[in-house]
Amino acid sequence: DAKTTQPPSMDCAEGRAANLPCNHSTISGNEYVYWYRQIHSQGPQYIIHGLKNNETNEMASLIITEDRKSSTLILPHATLRDTAVYYCIVTGTYKYIFGTGTRLKVLA
Amino acid sequence: DAGITQSPRHKVTETGTPVTLRCHQTENHRYMYWYRQDPGHGLRLIHYSYGVKDTDKGEVSDGYSVSRSKTEDFLLTLESATSSQTSVYFCAIATSGDYEQYFGPGTRLTVT
């Protein structure tokens, strides 16, 4: 079973920030939090990952709570092209267990 | 672009026939993976490889075998295809360091 819990779906208005939550209450000290997205039927695309600290790249920001039991992926200015399924994965190895993710729909 | 290609991209085959899917990478990454994805599900790991001739099972390995005789190619074989193996198959590679994976475009397999 996946080590993470995500809401099945969310909507976001175009141009607004999309905040996607993920619960991972059983995370271990050496496990990272990874985020991927899958647009339509394409292969999943890596977005960002973190261990303890908040992270930011050109695609998104990742906020990890101090106790590391949850995190939030932030897309600062969502566009229609951000409509996708977003997966949060916790792992400390080269093996992933995917859950069913959050289906984000960006509305015009 | 992690230089991953999958072939074929689409295939229709009959129950009981053998099928081999190929994943090819151009950047000599050590780790390679095969996943399947079915409607309403996330990706599920079938097999993975951590080097030439080094492979291991994932969550849903029954009915599948793999081979990796050279770094750049990872083959997934269905010895006798069944309708339950109708799925989209994704290959992935992992770069060294922080376990990031990069995925290929997928192969849509239909077993009739």
Side-chain angles (χ1 to χ4, degrees), chain A residues 4-107:
Chain A
T4 61
T5 304
Q6 299 178 253
S9 64
M10 295 180 63
D11 290 341
C12 176
E14 188 178 21
R16 303 297 295 269
N19 296 283
L20 293 93
C22 180
N23 287 320
H24 31 81
S25 58
T26 62
I27 192 170
S28 301
N30 64 343
E31 290 183 317
Y32 290 80
V33 179
Y34 281 82
W35 283 85
Y36 287 78
R37 72 180 182 184
Q38 188 174 25
I39 297 173
H40 195 45
S41 56
Q42 299 175 19
Q45 176 189 21
Y46 167 80
I47 301 173
I48 199 168
H49 76 278
L51 183 62
K52 297 180 182 178
N53 300 321
N54 298 337
E55 302 287 346
T56 296
N57 63 20
E58 65 279 4
M59 289 182 67
S61 295
L62 173 60
I63 308 298
I64 302 174
T65 58
E66 191 168 346
D67 64 7
R68 302 185 71 236
K69 292 185 177 182
S70 66
S71 60
T72 301
L73 178 74
I74 302 172
L75 308 178
H77 305 287
T79 72
L80 298 178
R81 290 176 294 179
D82 292 322
T83 292
V85 177
Y86 288 77
Y87 296 100
C88 170
I89 298 166
V90 165
T91 187
T93 73
Y94 284 96
K95 289 176 66 175
Y96 288 175
I97 298 177
F98 280 82
T100 52
T102 296
R103 185 173 296 277
L104 175 69
K105 186 173 183 180
V106 180
L107 306 173

Side-chain angles (χ1 to χ4, degrees), chain B residues 82-101:
Chain B
T82 68
S83 59
S84 65
Q85 293 175 313
T86 291
S87 190
V88 179
Y89 291 85
F90 289 101
C91 173
I93 59 94
T95 59
S96 60
D98 290 344
Y99 317 125
E100 295 163 42
Q101 292 189 17

Side-chain angles (χ1 to χ4, degrees), chain B residues 56-110:
Chain B
D56 205 350
K57 297 179 179 180
E59 311 167 67
V60 290
S61 59
D62 288 348
Y64 301 95
S65 62
V66 290
S67 65
R68 191 169 179 200
S69 58
K70 47 186 179 178
T71 302
E72 58 265 36
D73 288 328
F74 192 32
L75 305 180
L76 177 71
T77 298
L78 292 65
E79 300 290 348
S80 178
T82 68
S83 59
S84 65
Q85 293 175 313
T86 291
S87 190
V88 179
Y89 291 85
F90 289 101
C91 173
I93 59 94
T95 59
S96 60
D98 290 344
Y99 317 125
E100 295 163 42
Q101 292 189 17
Y102 294 88
F103 289 79
T107 294
R108 185 173 296 276
L109 176 67
T110 302

